[in-house]
Amino acid sequence: MSLLQIQEPDAPPNKTDLRLALGIDLGTTNSLVAIINDNGQAETLPDEKGRMIMPSLVRYDKDGRVTVGEEARIVDNGNAKSVIASVKRLMGRAAKEVGDDYRYDYASKEGMVKISTVAGEKSPIEVSAEILRHLTRRAKTATGRQVAGAVITVPAYFDEAQRQATTTAAKLAGLRVLRLLNEPTAAAVAYGLDNAEEGIYAIYDLGGGTFDISILRLQQGVFEVLATGGDTALGGDDYDRALAMLAAKKMGITEFSDEDFGV
C-alpha cells in the first residue's frame, strides 16, 4: 500500500519513493509480514531463503549478538534459556501473574516480567521489538522501499496493558503503529467474509498462546465487534506441554522440568 509518492508530472513511477504500510502477524509461535502489492493483492514477503513464515524465536549471546527466527533454534551459546520463545504470552504481564509455570529464569518476582539471559535482563517488549525489527528489515529488503508504519494483529482478548506493550515494542523497533487489529477480524477479512452476506458471525482463534472468540456483525461491508471472550494464557504451547507430560508419564518418566520440553 503506497502512502506517499512525489514525482514530476509525466515521470515514470519510482518505486523507491513509495512508502509501505506493512501488515504484521506478531504470533506466539510464528510471525510474518505482508503488503498490498501494486496489483492490489495481499502479498506475504519472504526472507532471503524464500521462507514466508518466521518462528517467533530470539536468541541472545554473551557477545551481544541477537539472532531472530529459524536460525535462533541453533543453541550454540551453552544456555538454552537464552532462546526466547512464545514471548507474546508474557506481554503486558506482571511477574506475579506468571509465577513458576514457565520455562525461563525471571529476574524478579516484582514489577513487570524480566527474563534473565546470558546477555542480561530482557523484557518481553524488548524481545518482541527484535522480532518486529527483523520483519521490518525483511520488508525493506524484499521491496526496496521505505516503511511508513504497520498494522499489527493482536488477540481480541488482549487487555489494555498487553495492547500497550505491543505498541511500545513496535516503537522500540522504530516502527509506527497505524493500527492494532484484532486477529479474528483480520481472519474474517482474509477469508472474504467482508464480501459475504450480512449477518452475525462467530470466529474462533486458537493460536500458539491464546484462545479467543469474537462475535462480529457484518453490515454494509463493515465489521462491528459485538463481544469477545477467551484466555490469553491458553494455546498450542499448553497442548504441547500436556501431550509431552502424558508421553513422559507413559514412558515412566516421573521427574522432569519445563526445560526438558525445549523450545
Side-chain angles (χ1 to χ4, degrees), residues 47-49 51 59 67-75:
D47 64 10
E48 65 280 358
K49 294 184 179 180
R51 299 172 298 197
R59 188 183 78 218
T67 307
V68 180
E70 192 66 48
E71 287 69 26
R73 291 188 191 277
I74 305 171
V75 183

Side-chain angles (χ1 to χ4, degrees), residues 26-223:
L26 182 61
T28 304
T29 308
N30 297 297
S31 297
L32 54 80
V33 58
I35 61 169
I36 300 298
N37 63 25
D38 294 335
N39 297 320
Q41 301 297 315
E43 178 183 347
T44 304
L45 301 177
D47 64 10
E48 65 280 358
K49 294 184 179 180
R51 299 172 298 197
M52 300 293 183
I53 294 177
M54 186 189 79
S56 300
L57 301 173
V58 178
R59 188 183 78 218
Y60 293 96
D61 292 324
K62 291 180 180 179
D63 59 5
R65 184 177 55 162
V66 179
T67 307
V68 180
E70 192 66 48
E71 287 69 26
R73 291 188 191 277
I74 305 171
V75 183
D76 59 4
N77 59 12
N79 187 350
K81 287 189 176 182
S82 284
V83 181
I84 309 301
S86 301
V87 74
K88 182 175 177 178
R89 300 189 65 159
L90 304 178
M91 293 289 280
R93 299 184 67 186
K96 63 182 180 181
E97 294 180 86
V98 177
D100 299 322
D101 64 347
Y102 219 69
R103 69 188 78 180
Y104 305 117
D105 290 331
Y106 295 107
S108 172
K109 294 187 179 296
E110 301 296 329
M112 303 305 289
V113 171
K114 286 276 191 178
I115 305 169
S116 296
T117 75
V118 295
E121 297 178 6
K122 302 295 179 181
S123 70
I125 289 174
E126 291 175 296
V127 179
S128 295
E130 295 291 353
I131 296 171
L132 291 169
R133 191 176 292 118
H134 195 82
L135 291 172
T136 302
R137 283 199 297 265
R138 174 189 291 194
K140 290 179 179 179
T141 300
T143 65
R145 303 181 185 180
Q146 294 300 308
V147 173
V151 175
I152 303 174
T153 60
V154 294
Y157 213 50
F158 253 21
D159 61 24
E160 186 57 35
Q162 291 166 309
R163 290 171 185 270
Q164 183 57 52
T166 303
T167 299
T168 303
K171 291 180 179 178
L172 186 61
L175 191 59
R176 178 187 172 203
V177 177
L178 302 175
R179 183 178 177 182
L180 294 180
L181 182 63
N182 285 347
E183 289 167 357
T185 304
V189 174
Y191 278 93
L193 293 184
D194 50 331
N195 296 319
E197 294 184 6
E198 293 187 353
I200 296 177
Y201 294 86
I203 300 178
Y204 291 92
D205 182 4
L206 176 58
T210 61
F211 179 44
D212 55 55
I213 180 176
S214 290
I215 307 298
L216 306 179
R217 174 189 285 142
L218 173 61
Q219 190 170 17
Q220 297 181 347
V222 177
F223 283 115

Side-chain angles (χ1 to χ4, degrees), residues 232-250:
T232 59
L234 174 64
D237 281 359
D238 304 285
Y239 285 84
D240 290 345
R241 188 175 189 280
L243 288 171
M245 292 178 67
L246 178 62
K249 187 175 181 179
K250 286 184 176 296

